Amino acid sequence: MSTRYTWPELPEGLRFAVESVTGPVLASDRISTWHSDAPFTGTLTTDSGKVFAKAAPDHDTATMEQYRRETLLAPIVNRFAAPLLGHVAEHGWTVLLFGFVKGGQADLSPGHTDLGYLSATLQEVQQIRPPHGLALPTLADQWTKYLDGDQRSLLSGNHLLHNDLVPSNVMLRRAGYRDQVVLVDWGRAVLGPAWAEYAGLYMWLLFSGHHPAQARAWLARFPAWSMASRAAIRAYVAGATAECADSPEHVARWASLLDQ
């Protein structure tokens, strides 16, 4: 795990460069997310409001790749994501600055109204047609070391997938009379078949209190899910299971996606 920093512990020159974008930082709060190892993730309070920031040293190649994807996708997904306000590279570090989402984490528990907001947002996101040659890896690329060629071919597609819909990445922005789901942290986005976004969400529906049969019934509402063959879902489960092979609980949950 990376060393975690507070805002004052970051290099002084880096902080000055950030403040040239945000204005003086009056206060800061470091936050933790589900599985982020970023050295700094938190909110910065300025005269004009709060800014969400994430920072890592440039030698952290895995995190730099995530930041590259987020920067690349910012203008494409801006309707559904926190706006990217700035990209600062200074003193061997990179910082991404995002508009602060006023609201909170969406509630994905069974029957909650937030599920309806999420459903609408996901179907809108799937209307995006990624530009030709968009420099994103594919879902099949993600699992090259786990799946054979036949399995990977079942995961081909050119839809833009967020690919990381953990509950902390599904925010609910309070927008007057109409609440809106905002999908944050696009750093693991890939290209793949539309149905795979729903397959990835299955695990987090279970964590939010859904029985497996309830979660599968919720997925069945989406036309994209009906496009997935049994073999393709099995290939997805094989890849997802391989990633969490050290957790029998996770393996069992993924396996339940294949239950009738």
Side-chain angles (χ1 to χ4, degrees):
M1 180 177 290
S2 303
T3 301
R4 300 297 181 92
Y5 294 78
T6 63
W7 171 252
E9 292 171 338
L10 295 176
E12 183 178 50
L14 178 69
R15 288 185 280 120
F16 286 160
V18 168
E19 290 183 321
S20 72
V21 177
T22 65
V25 173
L26 308 177
S28 62
D29 294 296
R30 189 175 62 181
I31 63 175
S32 299
T33 59
W34 274 69
H35 54 194
S36 172
D37 287 333
F40 177 78
T41 304
T43 57
L44 308 177
T45 301
T46 71
D47 283 331
S48 56
K50 290 186 176 182
V51 174
F52 179 78
K54 53 175 70 175
D58 294 345
H59 61 73
D60 183 346
T61 55
T63 302
M64 287 302 103
E65 168 59 16
Q66 292 179 21
Y67 288 5
R68 183 193 71 82
R69 297 188 209 183
E70 288 201 79
T71 303
L72 176 69
L73 290 173
I76 299 173
V77 301
N78 61 335
R79 279 184 58 204
F80 314 102
L84 180 63
L85 306 178
H87 177 177
V88 176
E90 190 71 36
H91 281 64
W93 283 67
T94 294
V95 182
L96 298 187
L97 302 167
F98 295 90
F100 185 75
V101 178
K102 294 181 180 179
Q105 184 175 306
D107 188 334
L108 305 185
S109 60
H112 200 281
T113 55
D114 288 359
L115 286 170
Y117 296 128
L118 175 59
S119 171
T121 297
L122 290 179
Q123 291 184 86
E124 287 186 71
V125 169
Q126 295 204 328
Q127 299 306 308
I128 296 174
R129 290 296 173 261
H132 178 71
L134 184 67
L136 279 184
T138 66
L139 179 61
D141 292 335
Q142 175 176 299
W143 289 329
T144 297
K145 64 181 180 180
Y146 301 131
L147 305 180
D148 62 32
D150 289 341
Q151 290 172 307
R152 293 197 303 274
S153 69
L154 295 169
L155 302 178
S156 62
N158 60 1
H159 281 79
L160 178 61
L161 309 179
H162 181 283
N163 195 40
D164 192 24
L165 294 177
V166 299
S168 58
N169 285 343
V170 182
M171 305 292 291
L172 192 68
R173 178 162 53 201
R174 306 299 178 184
Y177 66 91
R178 181 179 181 272
D179 294 340
Q180 178 189 17
V181 162
V182 178
L183 305 179
V184 301
D185 195 353
W186 288 77
R188 292 177 174 81
V190 294
L191 297 175
W195 60 263
E197 191 79 278
Y198 301 104
L201 184 59
Y202 176 76
M203 173 69 80
W204 307 113
L205 293 175
L206 299 188
F207 270 103
S208 299
H210 292 250
H211 184 275
Q214 283 179 303
R216 292 193 300 270
W218 194 81
L219 299 183
R221 303 167 56 210
F222 298 97
W225 183 250
S226 67
M227 302 299 291
S229 69
R230 178 82 172 170
I233 297 173
R234 188 178 295 113
Y236 187 100
V237 169
T241 298
E243 280 191 323
C244 62
D246 59 344
S247 172
E249 181 182 16
H250 281 49
V251 169
R253 282 179 165 143
W254 279 122
S256 69
L257 181 55
L258 293 168
D259 291 345
Q260 293 298 328

